[in-house]
Amino acid sequence: MGKESDLVSIERAICPDIYHPAVARDGLLTRLRIPGGVLDVKQCVAIADLVAVTGLDYVQVTNRANLQLRGLDRDLEPELLAKLIGCGLAAASAEVDGIRNIMTSPTAGIDLTELIDVRPLVAAWDEYLIGHPELGVLSNKFSVGFDGGGSVSILDRPNDITLLAVSEGEFLVHLAMGARGDAPVSVGVRLAIDECVPMLGAIARSYRRGVEELDGDVRRKPRLRDVIQAWGLAEFWRVVGAESEFAIGDVCLAQTVTQVNPQADTCAHLGVWPQQDIGLSYVGVGLLLGRLNSAQIDGLGEISRQYGSGEIRLTPWQNAIVPNIRDRDLVAVQQALAGLGLGNPINGLLTACAGATGCQFAGGDTQAEAISLSEYWASPSNIDRPINIHFSGCDKSCAQHYQADITLWGCPQTSERSPGYRLCVSGGTDKFGREIRDYLTPEDVRLAIDRLIRAYQEQRTSPQESFRTFTDHQSLAQLQQVLNVI
């Protein structure tokens, strides 16, 4: 087998798609690619049927607004694949289906403060990819995001390319050039709306050329950042310019050095929010670890059909949005969501990787621990302000690439102790934040977090002070003191 085939095999094992499931500890793993995270009622019904037919307990919304199916005992039958293709839940081309989901703000077109509705660009770029199967040679992690400049931003998501609206007719290009998980940074290039898809095509072709020129003796396909780092930004942009059909101007190198990774409000979309059209609102629904069972998927579709516009939007924070709800129907919608078991906003604050049941690298059963914490906080009164809590089975931080308010980092079992967790809070330069405890048993996790949150609520300067601001003002010794009794 040649090098390219070897790389394809390795890449498929890392990034599964509907045609190429990966093998995990708990069975086969695959994903449905949903451009922009938007589902209609017909697709909700198809997904509910898929869950029932495959015998799964649930599907999971991912941090790219995909839907993930794990624990499958076999590949999907051709009839199921044809049904998914027919309703737009899979690309007809196996080469293209593997490219990462196109990301956008889940409030595109309804956000009160957005500059540009980017939904047409999502559709246009998806159509471009479908028409260029040769781009399937790129890394399956190749990702593009469109940010309309509204209040629910995706600029901090680790896309290879993000186009950020900076005026009513212009985007600023951001490229991934740093370490794994870093947000893309501005290269100072501005594009008119009609230039966006041609420019993305030019970048993709240049990236493809870079992949072909780089040494193939690697354990994974080169990422866009690898090509940029190998060539240098100026040379990469010269190649992009040669591939483009229009002048792109100068690259602002200084901006790429000085820009700091943004930190979006991961809870900004949860709850009830007014839309652009007077009398309409959207409802952000917190999902426990992104999970939806068959009845919940079907139920969300029915709620949207009855009270909204027949549309459900998945978010990059593993939650969902029901848009275009008439204000007079909001109470009925919230009651219907509660009837589906989707009424607890605390669920939207928790993230967790697959954990030891699904991944050989994980040091703990992260999903079970997160669910246990959610059950403890069954009443929202335990937390009066959003606090993002992240369970990571190892240092890869697959479920969440940015710092959480509180991170539980899995410690594998040793001869001296059982599996447990390190406890970190936001702050500092480490991707998990500042470590305040190097080991907690799973049984002590709930107590430790409870004590931290109680200290925050009792000692903060005002009810509006965030947990992150509170911990930033505390010394390491002060934070450790809170846990000394554990």
Side-chain angles (χ1 to χ4, degrees):
M1 185 178 292
K3 284 185 178 180
E4 183 172 350
S5 298
D6 290 340
L7 288 172
V8 170
S9 176
I10 291 169
E11 183 74 15
R12 292 302 188 191
I14 296 172
C15 292
D17 58 65
I18 201 67
Y19 294 96
H20 307 90
V23 178
R25 276 190 170 183
D26 52 354
L28 294 178
L29 168 68
T30 192
R31 297 187 183 118
L32 298 175
R33 179 175 169 271
I34 305 167
V38 179
L39 296 171
D40 60 29
V41 174
K42 180 181 177 181
Q43 290 172 324
C44 288
V45 172
I47 294 166
D49 290 346
L50 176 63
V51 174
V53 168
T54 54
L56 298 179
D57 293 329
Y58 56 84
V59 291
Q60 278 184 297
V61 182
T62 73
N63 55 15
R64 295 206 58 80
N66 285 331
L67 278 175
Q68 180 169 275
L69 293 79
R70 64 177 314 128
L72 292 167
D73 59 6
R74 62 189 182 280
D75 288 343
L76 297 183
E77 288 82 1
E79 295 80 9
L80 273 178
L81 281 173
K83 184 176 180 180
L84 294 174
I85 293 170
C87 65
L89 288 170
S93 167
E95 291 82 3
V96 172
D97 194 77
I99 295 177
R100 274 193 167 180
N101 202 28
I102 304 168
M103 189 183 294
T104 188
S105 166
T107 57
I110 60 176
D111 194 310
L112 282 172
T113 62
E114 76 176 1
L115 297 169
I116 300 175
D117 179 359
V118 296
R119 291 176 297 175
L121 286 172
V122 172
W125 179 237
D126 186 50
E127 184 178 349
Y128 184 96
L129 290 174
I130 291 172
H132 292 80
E134 71 275 8
L135 295 180
V137 74
L138 300 176
S139 167
N140 279 25
K141 295 179 181 291
F142 179 51
S143 53
V144 173
F146 297 92
D147 191 315
S151 58
V152 182
S153 175
I154 61 159
L155 188 56
D156 69 330
R157 306 293 88 189
N159 288 301
D160 287 336
I161 309 166
T162 297
L163 301 185
L164 171 68
V166 292
S167 72
E168 292 185 358
E170 194 173 48
F171 288 89
L172 188 61
V173 179
H174 291 66
L175 298 179
M177 296 183 288
R180 176 182 181 270
D182 282 356
V185 293
S186 170
V187 292
V189 174
R190 294 173 181 262
L191 302 174
I193 294 174
D194 61 356
E195 294 174 332
C196 290
V197 171
M199 176 57 73
L200 289 173
I203 293 174
R205 293 192 298 274
S206 302
Y207 173 25
R208 181 171 182 252
R209 175 176 163 183
V211 169
E212 293 169 347
E213 289 185 8
L214 290 181
D215 183 6
D217 188 19
V218 293
R219 289 190 56 79
R220 60 173 176 81
K221 289 186 180 180
R223 296 289 302 274
L224 178 64
R225 64 173 179 265
D226 298 324
V227 173
I228 294 175
Q229 290 169 1
W231 282 355
L233 179 59
E235 172 62 15
F236 177 78
W237 210 249
R238 186 195 64 77
V239 175
V240 172
E243 289 282 354
S244 303
E245 298 176 356
F246 46 85
I248 59 176
D250 296 327
V251 179
C252 180
L253 295 177
Q255 206 166 356
T256 67
V257 176
T258 59
Q259 182 172 344
V260 179
N261 279 1
Q263 182 65 57
D265 182 353
T266 60
C267 305
H269 62 290
L270 296 176
V272 177
W273 296 90
Q275 297 183 187
Q276 292 176 7
D277 293 330
I278 296 175
L280 292 181
S281 296
Y282 70 84
V283 180
V285 185
L287 306 180
L288 179 55
L289 305 182
R291 296 184 180 191
L292 285 167
N293 61 37
S294 179
Q296 289 170 331
I297 299 168
D298 204 23
L300 279 175
E302 177 58 24
I303 289 171
S304 181
R305 184 197 66 77
Q306 183 175 352
Y307 298 107
S309 56
E311 181 179 278
I312 296 294
R313 301 188 183 191
L314 308 179
T315 85
W317 303 279
Q318 297 183 268
N319 297 311
I321 283 176
V322 186
N324 303 311
I325 304 296
R326 292 169 296 187
D327 289 345
R328 66 175 182 265
D329 292 329
L330 285 171
V331 172
V333 167
Q334 289 171 310
Q335 290 174 342
L337 290 170
L340 292 172
L342 300 175
N344 186 358
I346 298 302
N347 290 343
L349 309 180
L350 300 170
T351 60
C353 66
T357 60
C359 177
Q360 61 179 321
F361 301 109
D365 191 352
T366 54
Q367 299 258 320
E369 297 300 335
I371 291 171
S372 175
L373 193 60
S374 172
E375 291 171 347
Y376 174 64
W377 283 329
S379 170
S381 62
N382 292 93
I383 298 180
D384 58 4
R385 282 188 61 83
I387 298 177
N388 174 215
I389 301 173
H390 172 209
F391 287 80
S392 184
C394 72
D395 62 357
K396 293 182 179 180
S397 193
C398 293
Q400 182 169 313
H401 295 304
Y402 52 92
Q403 279 189 9
D405 293 319
I406 300 174
T407 298
L408 284 306
W409 175 8
C411 304
Q413 182 171 350
T414 67
S415 57
E416 288 84 25
R417 63 191 187 189
S418 60
Y421 293 90
R422 300 176 184 177
L423 176 60
C424 304
V425 298
S426 56
T429 58
D430 187 86
K431 64 182 173 182
F432 288 141
R434 292 189 291 166
E435 182 179 296
I436 61 174
R437 195 66 173 263
D438 64 359
Y439 177 77
L440 287 169
T441 67
E443 293 74 21
D444 286 337
V445 163
R446 190 175 71 182
L447 178 60
I449 294 178
D450 188 60
R451 286 189 176 278
L452 277 174
I453 292 173
R454 286 182 183 276
Y456 156 62
Q457 292 173 339
E458 292 170 0
Q459 300 173 29
R460 61 191 174 186
T461 57
S462 73
Q464 288 71 45
E465 183 178 62
S466 69
F467 183 85
R468 184 178 295 261
T469 301
F470 169 76
T471 56
D472 283 347
H473 294 159
Q474 302 292 309
S475 69
L476 189 60
Q478 287 174 312
L479 292 168
Q480 291 171 335
Q481 179 65 31
V482 174
L483 307 182
N484 277 350
V485 297
I486 300 175

